[in-house]
Amino acid sequence: DGAHGSSSATEAAAGQRTPIWCGRALEARARLEPPSGYARDRRDKIFSRTVPQLDHFCRSWLASAPPQLVALNAARLHSPAPLVLAYGSATSLLGSSASDIDLTVLLELPPELQRRLLSDIADAFGSVPGVTATAVLAARVPICTMTFPSDLSSPAGAPLVLTSDLVVDVSVGNVIALDNTRLIRTYMEVDECAWQLCLLVKAWARARRGCSARDRFPSSYA
């Protein structure tokens, strides 16, 4: 009986053991995460500061736009709901504190005015010391890319070091990206194995530098 009980306990323990591929997914998650909590703190501070500033800028910009565009976006302009929303890995549960932040401005604008708004955002935020901002207007989805350097310090002088520069990409009216992000997040919430598998594939693709739409590889979303 003692031997039988010992055997049963061993089998139960084996049944509870983490599958090899799940363990590797958690290792992949660790590789995606920077070793220091400073990076996450820095990312959160940049996000919480930049989004309201961008929201205010876009509302002010729209207020001076042609009357027909103001009327078209009147409901959003006067709504307390955020005008700027995050999408992509920042909200899909597949990001890390080293991931880019993707934002979109929920305004209905013709393409030429989308590009003008992005150019104005680049001018405004590019004037902030330490921040570079570039409007990429020839892309399929025009964006403004803002880069916050890794060596910036907090106001108190204590370094909040990022393992690399933090990039924030801003688009206009990219509603389909919001829907895609909700879809991916739903998959991640339905089954933890989906989250683990996606992290494993994402880490594998990054390690082989094959996960960048800008370099004509499949995107992280794909």
Side-chain angles (χ1 to χ4, degrees):
D1 289 339
H4 178 74
S6 176
S7 175
S8 298
T10 301
E11 292 174 0
Q16 296 175 357
R17 192 173 300 153
T18 302
I20 292 175
W21 73 271
C22 289
R24 288 177 179 169
L26 296 177
E27 291 174 4
R29 174 74 179 195
R31 287 196 295 274
L32 287 171
E33 293 286 351
S36 171
Y38 286 132
R40 187 175 297 278
D41 293 341
R42 179 72 174 136
R43 175 189 175 88
D44 292 345
K45 287 186 177 182
I46 290 173
F47 182 85
S48 61
R49 182 180 65 213
T50 303
V51 170
Q53 291 176 343
L54 182 60
D55 189 290
H56 177 74
F57 178 88
C58 292
R59 290 178 189 274
S60 299
W61 186 93
L62 180 62
S64 61
Q68 62 271 25
L69 290 178
V70 175
L72 181 63
N73 292 278
R76 293 196 183 278
L77 182 61
H78 301 295
S79 170
L83 195 62
V84 178
L85 294 179
Y87 65 93
S89 60
T91 57
S92 68
L93 303 181
L94 287 174
S96 72
S97 50
S99 300
D100 295 353
I101 295 176
D102 298 305
L103 304 174
T104 193
V105 181
L106 295 178
L107 290 178
E108 294 185 51
L109 299 174
E112 64 273 14
L113 286 182
Q114 289 185 20
R115 291 190 287 269
R116 184 185 301 176
L117 173 57
L118 292 170
S119 181
D120 290 346
I121 290 172
D123 291 340
F125 283 81
S127 64
V128 176
V131 177
T132 60
T134 304
V136 185
L137 304 180
R140 183 178 59 85
V141 177
I143 60 172
C144 170
T145 295
M146 297 185 283
T147 304
F148 297 81
S150 59
D151 57 354
L152 285 181
S153 299
S154 69
L160 293 174
V161 181
L162 293 164
T163 54
S164 60
D165 293 349
L166 176 61
V167 177
V168 178
D169 289 336
V170 183
S171 60
V172 179
N174 198 358
V175 178
I176 191 170
L178 297 173
D179 293 337
N180 289 343
T181 299
R182 294 187 190 102
L183 177 65
I184 294 296
R185 186 182 179 101
T186 300
Y187 290 154
M188 299 306 102
E189 291 176 338
V190 166
D191 191 338
E192 185 179 358
C193 287
W195 171 76
Q196 293 170 336
L197 178 60
C198 285
L199 284 177
L200 186 62
V201 172
K202 189 173 182 179
W204 173 85
R206 281 190 174 183
R208 286 155 180 77
R209 300 181 181 180
C211 184
S212 172
R214 294 174 183 172
D215 298 324
R216 299 187 178 183
F217 287 105
S219 66
S220 179
Y221 173 76

